[in-house]
Amino acid sequence: MARAGAPRVEGRFVNGAGPIQRASLEFVPFMLRRAWSSIVARPVGARLVQFDRGGMMHNPSVTWIGHSTFLVRMDGMTFLTDPVFSERASPVSFAGPRRAVVPGVPMEALPPVDFVTLSHDHYDHTDLESVRALAERGAVFVVPLEMGELVESVGGKAIELDWWQSIALGNVRIHCVPAQHFSGRSLTDAGKRLWAGWVVEGPTRRFYHAGDTGYFAGFAEIGKRFGKIDLAAIPIGAYAPSSIMRPVHLDPEEAVQAALDVRATRVIGMHFGTFELTDEPMGEPPWRFHSAARGAGMAADRAWTLNVGETRRW
C-alpha cells in the first residue's frame, strides 16, 4: 500500500493486489437466484424505529438510515455516507434488489447536510435520484476519481480524490483511503471509476467509512497512518457464496478483524438488513458480527449494530 494513488491497468482501476479473481462457474446460477429474489415477496429486513430528530443533531452522533447510509454529526459538521433513499438498488424501477425496510430518516426530514461521501458507483451506494435530491439541497459530494461525472449528470457539485488524497471542508479534513472492491454500472464500464473508503478527521473525532471492500492489507495501513479511529463503519453483509464474494465483501468475522486493524475504538456494522444482495439469511450478519466481536475480546459498547432510524452518540 505504499503507492501514492490507485493503480490502473490499460486505463481501468485495479486493486493494490491486482485484478480480482472470482469463481466464474458459480456466477450464472448466483445471478439467477438474485434475479428471482427481486421479484418474489420482500424479505424481512432490519428492525425499523422512529428517528429522533433532536438526537440526530447531537454532536457527535451517528444515525443509521439503512444499508451503508449514515447521517453523521461531528465537530460541528453534518454529512451523509452513500445515500440511497430509493425503493430499489437498480438502474430501473421495476427490477433489481428491493428495499426490505424503508429509510430510517426520510429525505424530507434530513437536516441541512454539509457534504456527502460516495464510496463507489454501484447502485446500492450511488443512487442518482438521491444524489439529485441532495444536490438540490446544496450538498457537496466528495467522490473517488472519475465519479464526478455521475454526480454532475444530475446537477451536483463533485470533488474527486485519489487514494490518500484529502481535502478540508469546514471544520474537518476528508481523506480518501483504499478499499478492495470493483466498479461498474453497466456491461462496458467496469473499472472506469475508482472505489474507496473515507476517513473524516476533525479536531476531536475521526470517523471511518469503509465503503464496500474485501479483507486486505490496506486496513492495517489505514490504522498505521491515522493512529486511532473513534468510530469505524464497516460492512458485515453480502458475503455468500464466499467463492464469489470473499474478494470484494467482508464477512462478519473479517469485519471485526478489519476494525482491529484500523485501530477503531468503536465499530458499527453496515451493509446488511436493507437489500437482499447475496445468499446468506438477512438476519445472520448481526449475530455473527457480535459473536466475533466477543470472541476478539471487544466489549459490547465497542461493537454496534443499530436499528434502522436509530441514533447513537459516540
Side-chain angles (χ1 to χ4, degrees):
M1 301 306 303
R3 297 185 62 95
R8 302 192 201 205
V9 173
E10 297 180 351
R12 296 180 187 253
F13 293 104
V14 297
N15 289 292
I20 292 293
Q21 302 295 325
R22 293 194 281 180
S24 58
L25 291 179
E26 294 186 48
F27 195 73
V28 170
F30 168 76
M31 292 304 295
L32 290 173
R33 291 194 300 273
R34 292 300 95 221
W36 172 249
S37 74
S38 75
I39 60 174
V40 298
R42 178 179 299 181
V44 176
R47 181 170 177 254
L48 175 70
V49 298
Q50 177 62 42
F51 66 90
D52 179 354
R53 190 181 302 273
M56 68 186 184
M57 292 308 296
H58 180 82
N59 185 25
S61 65
V62 60
T63 303
W64 191 34
I65 295 175
H67 200 51
S68 298
T69 308
F70 290 97
L71 179 74
V72 184
R73 282 275 295 163
M74 59 173 275
D75 290 307
M77 301 291 284
T78 304
F79 61 95
L80 280 168
T81 65
D82 287 0
V84 178
F85 288 81
S86 293
E87 172 69 9
R88 292 186 185 268
S90 169
V92 296
S93 61
F94 55 85
R98 183 171 50 177
R99 296 191 83 96
V101 58
V102 298
V105 182
M107 178 74 73
E108 60 272 16
L110 291 173
V113 172
D114 295 301
F115 65 90
V116 176
T117 61
L118 299 178
S119 63
H120 64 297
D121 68 2
H122 289 162
Y123 291 97
D124 60 320
H125 294 261
T126 294
D127 171 52
L128 290 185
E129 286 307 307
S130 299
V131 170
R132 185 195 310 275
L134 290 164
E136 290 173 353
R137 295 162 62 105
V140 175
F141 293 80
V142 186
V143 302
L145 291 181
E146 308 301 336
M147 279 195 59
E149 52 90 14
L150 281 177
V151 173
E152 291 162 3
S153 73
V154 291
K157 176 184 176 182
I159 301 168
E160 290 188 353
L161 297 177
D162 196 357
W163 290 350
W164 302 123
Q165 289 183 334
S166 67
I167 187 169
L169 287 179
N171 300 330
V172 300
R173 179 165 287 276
I174 306 161
H175 303 264
C176 182
V177 297
Q180 180 170 290
H181 202 56
F182 65 109
S183 66
R185 291 170 73 86
S186 71
L187 296 176
T188 61
D189 63 350
K192 289 191 173 182
R193 305 180 189 96
L194 185 57
W195 49 93
W198 301 99
V199 174
V200 181
E201 182 179 26
T204 71
R205 294 290 190 279
R206 290 190 183 108
F207 174 81
Y208 168 53
H209 188 276
D212 241 0
T213 183
Y215 185 77
F216 74 131
F219 293 124
E221 179 66 17
I222 292 166
K224 178 180 177 181
R225 293 198 184 208
F226 291 97
K228 185 188 78 167
I229 299 293
D230 295 286
L231 180 61
I234 296 182
I236 65 172
Y239 48 80
S242 61
S243 58
I244 296 175
M245 292 298 155
R246 189 164 195 178
V248 294
H249 285 157
L250 298 169
D251 65 28
E253 294 76 21
E254 290 169 328
V256 169
Q257 185 59 55
L260 296 173
D261 289 352
V262 301
R263 308 181 192 183
T265 301
R266 295 182 178 89
V267 56
I268 185 169
M270 64 175 181
H271 205 263
F272 75 96
T274 309
F275 297 105
E276 189 178 34
L277 301 174
T278 50
D279 288 351
E280 77 273 4
M282 288 191 76
E284 181 178 281
W287 70 257
R288 280 183 55 176
F289 171 69
H290 288 291
S291 177
R294 289 192 298 270
M298 298 178 71
D301 64 353
R302 287 189 60 199
W304 299 348
T305 52
L306 304 187
N307 298 312
V308 175
E310 182 181 354
T311 297
R312 199 167 292 190
R313 299 183 180 189
W314 56 285

